[in-house]
């Protein structure tokens, strides 16, 4: 009796559950390192820029974060010379903040700390990604709670 | 047949209330309805405990799955009740408490409280062999749990959707001898919310969301074995500020559940269930979990 019951239940469940099976597309992770995506320093072509001031932004890892440890990055703000388009490092209107944002999931990560190293050069520490995936580096100039200027760089971590 | 209905009712309560079913594993909270009395009871009180582990940390907008070695664990304790009034009308309330753990971090607190009014629009007075029993419900969700956008630790301390939401749903059930089948459909609308923290500042603009579930089970004496699958969808949540508008991304996933229920007597029932979000569908912009849940229910007959 139990055998027939189990068989019937198994059959019914199989019919229901066999449709629409997930087809996972995994990417081999490096357990938190930046992996296959390039985070090379941008060339002086101003690939990323603040939307209001037009100042360019480049960045690279100083210490890559992992799944369990925070990291840090160094970023530079500059303008292109009107004469020969060479980069001229320039301080932003104020020390930019760095917000880590995951647009697909609708959340950020733990706050970072930004300090000025020299003209147009800043270090962002306490950089930590709570999960792998598609993130945005949001460099922001704020006055109080109002964002005055922003540069957004997408990365895949 | 009456016995199978009682067990079905018990399981359906488990299905509908489980945070495992209606929530992305990593963060935020689902839109889970409070207990719905689907059987012949006058009232019921349900307590449940669920443990979920995030198995896939992120599925991105292209459907790429990524996971690390360390995963979040989510524990949910939920208490809820429902009571019949005016014959075919019922009201319910659900209060969840959620704890998230990730490595050395641990956050806990109240989730989104949900209230419900239901109406049996398709009664089963004459046990028609084909016509199902139908209950419709209106649900209001209170934003008592912190949302993902409110979180300043990557969603670890989020325990709800964080929006006021209004939902409409229906549950159809039918007993066919020792077998039972059911389907559920729920659609909700979440409302705008202003948020200001170290991460974002502006107005969150959600949209529509919904859950569609089907399932069935087999009843034998005091036991029921069941399975179901629920598809969940949430509109993108856009962020608007004075300076810019940031578009969100739609979320989609499917939750499969296997359950075993036991009806101890006319007053007490228990259900043990296993849920898995990694098996079916084409998820996007979500995280996927696996979990187990135990539910104990006290019932009062009419």
């Amino acid at each position: 009796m139990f055998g027939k019951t189990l068989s019937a239940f198994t059959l019914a469940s199989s019919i229901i559950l066999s449709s629409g099976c997930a087809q996972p597309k995994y990417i081999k992770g490096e357990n938190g390192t930046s992996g296959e995506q390039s985070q090379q320093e941008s060339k002086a072509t101003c690939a990323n820029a603040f939307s209001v001031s037009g100042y360019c932004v480049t960045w690279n890892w100083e210490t890559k974060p992992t799944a369990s440890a925070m990291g840090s990055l160094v970023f530079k703000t500059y303008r292109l010379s009107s004469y020969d388009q060479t980069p001229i490092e320039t301080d932003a209107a104020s020390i930019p903040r760095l917000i880590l944002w995951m647009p697909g999931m609708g959340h950020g990560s733990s706050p970072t700390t930004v300090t000025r190293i020299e003209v147009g050069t800043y270090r962002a520490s306490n950089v930590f990604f709570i999960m792998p995936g598609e993130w945005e580096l949001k460099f922001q100039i704020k006055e109080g709670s109002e964002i005055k200027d922003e540069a957004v760089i997408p990365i895949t971590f | 047949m009456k016995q199978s209905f009682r067990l079905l009712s018990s399981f359906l309560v488990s299905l509908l209330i489980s945070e495992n079913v209606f929530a992305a594993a990593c963060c935020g909270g689902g839109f889970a309805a409070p207990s719905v009395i689907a059987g012949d009871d006058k009232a019921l009180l349900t307590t449940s405990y669920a443990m979920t582990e995030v198995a896939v940390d992120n599925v991105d907008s292209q459907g790429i799955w990524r996971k690390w070695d360390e995963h979040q664990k989510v524990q949910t304790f939920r208490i809820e009740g429902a009571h019949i009034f005016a014959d075919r009308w019922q009201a319910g309330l659900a209060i969840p408490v959620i704890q998230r753990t990730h490595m050395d971090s641990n956050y806990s607190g109240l989730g989104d409280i949900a209230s419900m009014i239901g109406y049996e629009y398709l009664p089963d007075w004459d046990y028609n062999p084909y016509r199902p029993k139908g209950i419709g419900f209106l649900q209001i969700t209170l934003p008592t749990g912190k949302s993902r956008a409110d979180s300043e630790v990557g969603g670890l301390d989020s325990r709800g959707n964080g929006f006021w939401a209004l939902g409409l749903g229906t549950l159809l059930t039918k007993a066919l001898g020792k077998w039972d089948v059911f389907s559920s459909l729920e659609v909700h609308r979440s409302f705008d919310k202003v948020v200001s923290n170290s991460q974002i500042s502006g107005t969150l603009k959600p949209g529509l969301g919904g859950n569609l579930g089907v399932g069935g089970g087999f009843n034998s004496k005091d036991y029921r074995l069941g399975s179901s699958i629920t598809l969940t969808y949430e509109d993108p949540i856009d962020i608007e500020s004075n300076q810019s508008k940031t578009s969100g991304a739609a979320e989609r996933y499917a939750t499969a559940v296997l359950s075993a229920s036991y009806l101890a007597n006319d007053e007490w029932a228990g259900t043990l269930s296993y849920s898995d979000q990694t098996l079916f569908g084409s998820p996007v912009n979500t995280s996927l979990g696996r979990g187990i849940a135990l539910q104990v229910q006290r019932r009062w007959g009419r």
Side-chain angles (χ1 to χ4, degrees), chain B:
Chain B
M1 184 181 296
K2 187 176 183 181
Q3 191 82 329
S4 67
F5 252 116
R6 288 178 175 271
L7 285 169
L8 172 62
S9 173
S10 176
F11 169 71
L12 284 173
V13 167
S14 174
L15 167 68
L16 291 174
I17 71 174
S18 173
E19 288 284 346
N20 295 332
V21 176
F22 293 130
C26 75
C27 33
F31 193 86
S35 300
V36 173
I37 299 175
D40 297 330
D41 303 299
K42 179 178 68 177
L44 56 83
L45 182 67
T46 306
T47 58
S48 63
Y49 170 78
M51 161 74 99
T52 299
E53 181 172 9
V54 173
V56 178
D57 296 276
N58 177 252
V59 183
D60 67 17
S61 56
Q62 306 304 315
I64 304 295
W65 296 32
R66 294 182 174 89
K67 61 180 180 180
W68 285 342
D69 290 339
E70 289 286 337
H71 299 298
Q72 268 191 56
K73 291 180 176 57
V74 185
Q75 298 181 75
T76 305
F77 176 76
R78 187 173 167 123
I79 185 165
E80 59 197 283
H83 200 289
I84 296 287
F85 66 95
D87 190 26
R88 291 157 68 180
W89 291 88
Q90 59 180 287
L93 183 71
I95 302 173
V97 175
I98 299 171
Q99 180 185 58
R100 292 186 186 277
T101 305
H102 184 248
M103 292 191 292
D104 297 331
S105 300
N106 187 322
Y107 301 90
S108 59
L110 189 63
D112 286 341
I113 293 175
S115 61
M116 175 276 298
I117 289 181
Y119 178 72
E120 188 177 336
Y121 65 89
L122 207 57
D124 197 11
W125 289 324
D126 59 354
Y127 298 102
N128 186 289
Y130 305 109
R131 187 182 65 238
K133 182 177 186 176
I135 298 172
F137 57 88
L138 173 72
Q139 178 178 332
I140 296 175
T141 302
L142 288 66
T144 46
K146 179 182 285 190
S147 71
R148 302 181 202 185
D150 287 321
S151 172
E152 295 180 302
V153 288
L156 277 181
D157 57 352
S158 64
R159 298 178 298 276
N161 282 328
F163 301 105
W164 284 94
L166 184 65
L168 281 175
T170 185
L171 171 66
L172 297 172
T173 62
K174 188 63 188 173
L176 304 166
K178 291 190 174 184
W179 295 89
D180 60 67
V181 293
F182 68 89
S183 67
S184 64
L185 174 65
E186 173 272 327
V187 177
H188 55 267
R189 174 73 166 91
S190 300
F191 300 98
D192 296 357
K193 172 182 177 178
V194 175
V195 63
S196 180
N197 56 40
S198 65
Q199 304 288 301
I200 61 169
S201 183
T203 302
L204 300 177
K205 306 181 81 65
L208 295 171
N211 297 281
L212 173 65
V214 293
F218 180 82
N219 299 269
S220 178
K221 295 182 180 179
D222 298 326
Y223 297 91
R224 178 184 184 275
L225 295 177
S227 63
S228 69
I229 185 166
T230 303
L231 308 178
T232 301
Y233 171 83
E234 289 291 338
D235 264 350
I237 300 175
D238 299 334
I239 304 172
E240 283 188 7
S241 66
N242 291 337
Q243 298 82 26
S244 64
K245 177 179 177 179
T246 303
S247 298
E251 181 181 20
R252 185 178 69 222
Y253 55 90
T255 308
V257 177
L258 289 176
S259 68
S261 299
Y262 173 64
L263 190 66
N265 50 47
D266 286 347
E267 295 174 341
W268 292 95
T271 300
L272 183 65
S273 61
Y274 168 76
S275 63
D276 195 321
Q277 296 177 328
T278 67
L279 299 175
F280 300 100
S282 54
V284 289
N285 299 309
T286 189
S287 61
L288 306 174
R290 301 187 182 101
I292 57 173
L294 175 65
Q295 170 214 346
V296 176
Q297 189 176 74
R298 171 71 163 92
R299 316 144 76 102
W300 289 265
R302 298 201 194 204

Side-chain angles (χ1 to χ4, degrees), chain A:
Chain A
M1 180 59 187
F2 180 74
K4 290 183 178 178
T5 303
L6 186 60
S7 297
F9 173 75
T10 303
L11 175 62
S13 296
S14 299
I15 293 172
I16 294 174
L17 300 179
S18 61
S19 59
C21 290
Q23 297 174 344
K25 293 179 282 187
Y26 279 104
I27 278 185
K28 287 185 178 180
E30 296 180 22
N31 212 33
T33 58
S34 55
E36 72 282 1
Q37 299 295 322
S38 170
Q39 273 85 41
Q40 294 178 350
E41 185 174 358
S42 301
K43 299 177 182 178
T45 56
C46 210
N48 303 295
F50 282 89
S51 57
V52 174
S53 64
Y55 283 179
C56 311
V57 181
T58 65
W59 70 280
N60 55 15
W61 291 117
E62 185 176 47
T63 304
K64 288 182 183 179
T66 67
S68 55
M70 292 184 175
S72 62
L73 60 86
V74 172
F75 65 96
K76 295 176 180 287
T77 58
Y78 62 95
R79 62 180 178 84
L80 296 180
S81 165
S82 58
Y83 173 67
D84 57 3
Q85 301 300 300
T86 53
I88 302 173
E89 287 167 1
T90 310
D91 277 340
S94 61
I95 296 178
R97 297 166 32 130
L98 172 61
I99 303 297
L100 308 176
W101 187 256
M102 200 169 200
M105 298 292 287
H107 64 69
S109 191
S110 50
T112 63
T113 302
V114 178
T115 53
R116 179 181 182 274
I117 300 174
E118 59 179 13
V119 175
T121 305
Y122 306 88
R123 172 181 290 113
S125 52
N126 300 330
V127 176
F128 182 71
F129 297 96
I130 192 70
M131 64 179 60
E134 300 168 330
W135 287 84
E136 290 178 344
L137 303 179
K138 293 190 170 188
F139 299 92
Q140 296 176 343
I141 304 295
K142 295 187 79 171
E143 282 184 14
S145 62
E146 187 176 354
I147 300 173
K148 291 296 187 182
D149 207 355
E150 186 178 54
V152 180
I153 302 175
I155 70 168
T156 301
F157 191 77

